[in-house]
């Protein structure tokens, strides 16, 4: 297993995802002799995990079961230990496409943060591309290096511990794309420009506040970036539910009680046959939006160096 | 690498003017019509992608010089529009005057300057209004085009704006979600079923960079790859691209699928071997060819298609007239090769170990999913696009009944573009409708006929999850 290559069976040293249910999962480092506690009981790595196929159902000691999943950047994003606020897959997907990333791309990123985006970037540029990621917080930089090693992607990424606004990305004229997620991106636009290839490339900056965007756009214009475009992407998730709506009782017409306006032979009625149609229900499938959703993550500003 | 950055003859390129795109082949002495302008691309050859050109007389392109904006030295502007009256007479230049300027070959930049000078209200407009006026006129009179390298970003934006019907209204941010949710990357063995002109296939190919393999499932006579050809992929990318007809999926799953490979055709092959399968093969050929040589300009696709088909008709008749042994042999070789490829694709699918499934078609997703998921390995993502939500509701229910999938998610993405200018920042337009819906999930090992969801998922099916939903910690 690695985050850039699928494997079929679970091996010692792998990072696997223990899936307990919707939005209930966690990562686990597979190690001989180790046990993992879940609410359904214990999982013994040597017997329950190692050698089993990814996607297997594993029965825990108390009889409940979980699935063991192959790690992907998307599953990692949902389960990683937060050291900072992170970027989620919806933003990551549009960043990846708008930066035109593909195998072989050279990307610069700052800050590394918790490595949510980093894993997705590495996945996309592998096996011939490279990620140069800059994090000014020493402990975070070190933790990221450790994770990349554990996930089998260290050859695809260079973590530098410095201030991108002062010292840049540590490389020049090599990048196809630059991504910024820092509090004052406008201070790093010059460094971003020199990190990009002479023949051009793409840049993206993520900022939660419009004032940050404003200053970043001005800086981009100043440094000759073109195609400056700011957008925002939001995800709407729907729960699939079978809804039953009761038919109201409007009373009976004095003479004619067969014309209720509803077709009693409709399939939705077969589930609940009732003599008195007026007390029946109509069933249908609906995609129900979540009660509370993310309304804003950040603005994404894209531009081209040409 | 530098060479790749330059525009070369025979390249697939995209023309850009403001937000309008058009895909073209870079050919010498080929007249291009774009945004009411005509020109030749000859002079663009050798320049770096991303260069902006001006159209000069005779339809030649000339790299645009960066000019310092030297607009009216005395920057006069009003503060509000209380005294500006629309009498339709503020512009002193008449329609004919402007036409005369254009005919004289006066540069667009100068025409804009003249329009400003002859506008009686310009000086009374606010600074912002002046800005807006100049921008509008520039857009109309300055004939500049930028030549950019094709990419999923460019082509998906172009298709969504120009030909949404051909890609089932799949908006580019939705396509971006699909690539990420599907964990599409180098080395994968992907199954793609699309009727989006080959755009989704192209996007998957771009992300795989020629590493791994793709099996494209197609309805009818052959896969449509008009949009795929706009990407300008190297030939090697197509070596790992396989195709398999949807109509043979059931027989493949039932184990009744056969492609008896005839022995390699010999020199003196029999004449008149046109039996059962051959007529079908022929039809496949006519449908495949236009797709393979799909024209770059998507606006003329229809036209071009008919032209190609007519050309083939002629060829076909000629072949019949000749009807010599060589022709039959050629046909047999082609047929043999096609059978061989079909067998290879069937074998790849038969391994049932694909790393992902991407569906984006005009067909009902449920039967596609129920069948095609059989070919996918456990613990792999799948993503289905549908223009409408309702079929995905049904698909969700049927997948739950079938089992073997977890983490099912029905979603839609919203995209909002912003105008960011000093003191004039606001959202540009909402795109809430029309981007389509996605159903995604992960495959797991399961025993057939037993719906397999985890303990808590079983509960979740019945109980609304709103309680459980935690709001992500928000920035700022």
């Amino acid at each position: 297993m690695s985050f850039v290559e699928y494997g079929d069976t679970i091996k010692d040293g792998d990072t696997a995802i223990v899936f307990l249910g919707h939005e209930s999962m966690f990562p686990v480092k597979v190690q001989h002799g180790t046990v993992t506690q879940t609410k359904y009981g214990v999982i013994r790595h040597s017997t329950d995990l190692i050698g089993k196929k990814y996607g297997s159902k594993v029965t825990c000691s108390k009889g409940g079961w979980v699935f063991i999943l192959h790690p992907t950047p998307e599953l990692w994003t949902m389960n990683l230990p937060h050291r900072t606020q992170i970027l989620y897959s919806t933003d990551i997907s549009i960043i990846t496409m708008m930066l035109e990333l593909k195998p072989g791309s050279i990307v610069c990123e700052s800050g590394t943060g918790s490595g949510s985006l980093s894993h997705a970037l590495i996945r996309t540029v592998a096996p011939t591309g490279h990620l140069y990621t800059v994090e000014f917080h020493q402990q975070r930089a070190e933790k990221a290096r450790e994770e990349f090693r554990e996930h089998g992607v260290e050859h695809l990424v260079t973590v530098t511990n410095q201030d991108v606004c002062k010292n840049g990305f540590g490389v020049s004229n090599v990048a196809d794309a630059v991504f910024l997620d820092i509090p004052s991106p406008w201070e790093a636009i010059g460094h971003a420009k020199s990190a990009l290839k002479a023949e051009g490339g793409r840049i993206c900056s993520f900022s939660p506040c419009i004032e940050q965007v404003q200053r970043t756009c001005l800086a981009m214009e100043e440094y000759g970036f073109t195609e400056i475009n700011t957008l925002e992407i939001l995800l709407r998730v729907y729960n699939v539910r079978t809804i039953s709506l009761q038919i109201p009782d409007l009373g009976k017409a004095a003479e004619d009680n067969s014309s209720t306006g509803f077709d009693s032979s409709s399939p939705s009625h077969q589930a609940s046959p009732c003599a008195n149609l007026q007390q029946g229900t109509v069933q249908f499938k609906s995609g129900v939006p979540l009660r509370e959703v993310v309304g804003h993550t950040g603005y994404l500003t894209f531009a081209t160096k040409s | 690498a530098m060479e790749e950055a330059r525009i070369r003859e025979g390249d697939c390129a995209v023309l850009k003017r403001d937000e309008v795109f058009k895909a073209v082949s870079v050919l010498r002495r080929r007249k291009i019509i774009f945004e009411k302008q005509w020109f030749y691309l000859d002079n663009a050859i050798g320049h770096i992608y991303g260069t902006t050109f001006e159209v000069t007389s005779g339809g030649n392109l000339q790299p645009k010089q960066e000019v310092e904006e030297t607009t009216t030295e005395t920057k006069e502007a009003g503060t509000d529009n209380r005294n500006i009256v629309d009498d339709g007479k503020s512009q002193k230049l008449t329609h004919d005057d402007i036409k005369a300027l254009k005919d004289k070959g006066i540069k667009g930049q100068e025409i804009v300057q003249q329009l400003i000078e002859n506008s009686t209200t310009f000086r009374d407009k606010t600074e912002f209004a002046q800005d807006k006026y100049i921008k509008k006129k520039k857009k109309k009179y300055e004939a500049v085009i930028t030549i950019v390298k094709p990419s999923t970003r460019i082509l998906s934006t172009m298709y969504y704006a120009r030909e949404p019907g051909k890609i089932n209204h799949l908006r580019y941010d939705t396509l971006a979600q699909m690539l990420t949710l599907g964990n599409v990357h180098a080395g994968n063995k992907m199954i793609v079923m699309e009727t989006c002109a080959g755009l989704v296939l192209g996007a998957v190919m771009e992300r795989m960079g020629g590493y791994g393999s793709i099996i494209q499932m197609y309805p009818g006579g052959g896969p449509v790859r008009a949009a795929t050809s706009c990407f300008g992929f190297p030939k090697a990318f197509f070596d790992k691209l396989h195709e398999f007809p949807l109509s043979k999926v059931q027989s493949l799953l039932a184990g009744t699928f056969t492609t008896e490979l005839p022995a390699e055709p010999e020199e003196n092959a029999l004449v008149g071997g046109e039996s059962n399968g051959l007529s079908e093969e022929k039809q496949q050929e006519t449908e495949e060819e236009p797709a393979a040589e799909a024209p770059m300009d998507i606006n003329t696709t229809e036209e071009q298609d008919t032209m190609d088909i007519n050309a083939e008709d002629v060829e076909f008749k000629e072949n019949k007239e000749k009807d010599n042994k060589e022709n039959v042999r050629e046909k047999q070789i082609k047929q043999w090769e096609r059978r061989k490829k079909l067998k290879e694709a069937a074998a790849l699918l038969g391994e049932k170990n694909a790393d992902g499934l991407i569906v984006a078609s005009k067909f009902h997703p449920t039967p596609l999913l129920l069948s095609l998921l059989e070919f996918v390995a456990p613990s792999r993502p799948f993503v289905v696009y549908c223009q409408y939500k309702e079929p995905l509701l049904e698909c969700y229910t049927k997948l739950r009944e079938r089992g073997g999938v977890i983490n099912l998610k029905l979603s839609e993405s919203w995209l909002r573009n912003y105008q960011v200018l000093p003191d004039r920042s606001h959202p540009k337009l909402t795109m809430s409708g029309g981007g389509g819906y996605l159903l995604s999930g992960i495959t797991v090992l399961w025993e057939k006929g037993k719906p397999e969801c985890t303990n808590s998922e079983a509960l979740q099916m019945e109980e609304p999850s709103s309680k459980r939903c935690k709001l992500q910690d928000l920035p700022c």
Side-chain angles (χ1 to χ4, degrees), chain B residues 276-290:
Chain B
N276 38 29
L278 204 59
S279 55
E280 189 195 276
E281 299 278 357
K282 212 172 275 155
Q283 188 207 341
Q284 187 172 332
E285 195 175 345
T286 46
E287 284 190 41
E288 244 177 73
E289 294 295 323

Side-chain angles (χ1 to χ4, degrees), chain A residues 3-8 19-25 39-40 53-57 64-70 72-75 78 82 85 88-90 92-94 96-98 100-103 123-124 126-128 199 202 208-210 213-214 217-218 227 229-241 285-287 290-294 296-297 299 304 306, chain B residues 1-2 5 16 21 48-50 149 151-154 156-157 172-173 175-177 179-186 188 206-209 211 355 378-381 389 393 396-397 406-418 420-423 425 428 437 442-445 452-457 460-466 468-469 471-476:
Chain A
F3 273 63
V4 293
E5 205 175 344
Y6 280 120
D8 288 335
F19 185 93
L20 291 91
H22 191 68
E23 278 172 27
S24 168
M25 45 185 147
K39 61 176 166 179
Y40 304 120
K53 273 196 135 199
Y54 275 109
S56 297
K57 190 163 134 181
W65 68 86
V66 296
F67 284 104
I68 307 297
L69 299 180
H70 196 288
T72 64
E74 286 60 52
L75 287 173
M78 286 189 261
H82 281 220
Q85 165 71 22
Y88 290 92
S89 297
T90 311
I92 290 173
S93 68
I94 197 93
T96 310
M97 182 197 265
M98 290 300 181
E100 306 190 332
L101 302 183
K102 56 192 179 192
R123 174 264 317 272
T124 303
T128 47
E199 61 261 40
R202 295 275 293 163
C209 308
I210 197 74
V213 175
Q214 206 113 307
C217 285
L218 282 175
E227 282 192 287
N229 182 25
T230 301
L231 56 84
E232 188 183 18
I233 186 167
L234 288 173
L235 191 71
R236 243 176 117 74
V237 178
Y238 298 98
N239 282 323
V240 180
R241 299 262 170 268
K285 289 256 177 238
S286 179
L290 308 182
R291 205 168 55 83
E292 256 179 329
V293 294
V294 174
H296 178 69
T297 55
Y299 301 103
T304 303
S306 52
Chain B
M2 264 314 261
K16 176 178 186 288
F21 295 100
I48 288 180
Y49 276 103
K149 223 179 161 66
S151 64
T152 302
R153 166 177 78 100
I154 304 273
S156 59
T157 315
Y172 43 94
D173 55 306
L175 176 59
Q177 297 289 317
L179 297 168
T180 297
L181 287 171
N183 190 22
V184 179
H185 68 284
N188 270 8
E206 183 183 273
R207 284 290 172 90
M208 290 178 58
Y211 302 92
D355 294 317
S379 196
R380 298 294 188 272
K389 201 201 296 180
L393 295 174
Y396 177 102
T397 311
I406 56 165
N407 210 32
L408 285 183
K409 199 163 103 183
L410 177 60
S411 67
E412 171 196 16
S413 57
W414 282 5
L415 191 69
R416 206 159 154 108
N417 280 289
Y418 287 82
V420 181
L421 288 170
D423 299 323
S425 299
K428 258 198 265 187
Y437 300 86
I442 301 172
T443 56
V444 287
L445 272 172
E452 296 275 5
C453 43
T454 54
N455 330 24
S456 66
E457 270 199 324
Q460 208 249 332
M461 280 175 77
E462 303 307 324
E463 149 203 23
S465 75
S466 50
R468 197 171 305 138
C469 156
L471 194 65
Q472 286 158 356
D473 37 332
L474 277 170
C476 269

Side-chain angles (χ1 to χ4, degrees), chain B residues 258-263 336 339 343:
Chain B
T258 48
T259 42
E260 337 74 64
L261 260 181
W336 185 82
R339 285 258 174 89
K343 204 177 173 182

Side-chain angles (χ1 to χ4, degrees), chain B residues 267 269-272 274 278 285 315-335:
Chain B
E267 191 64 53
L270 274 173
V271 188
E274 287 190 34
L278 204 59
E285 195 175 345
E315 208 183 314
F316 181 63
K317 270 175 206 152
E318 275 174 9
N319 285 353
K320 251 199 166 166
E321 276 160 31
K322 281 187 199 162
D323 202 5
N324 54 31
K325 284 182 180 176
E326 201 162 310
N327 244 320
V328 174
R329 187 182 137 70
E330 240 171 65
K331 253 185 227 161
Q332 287 200 332
I333 289 176
K334 264 196 172 176
Q335 187 194 345

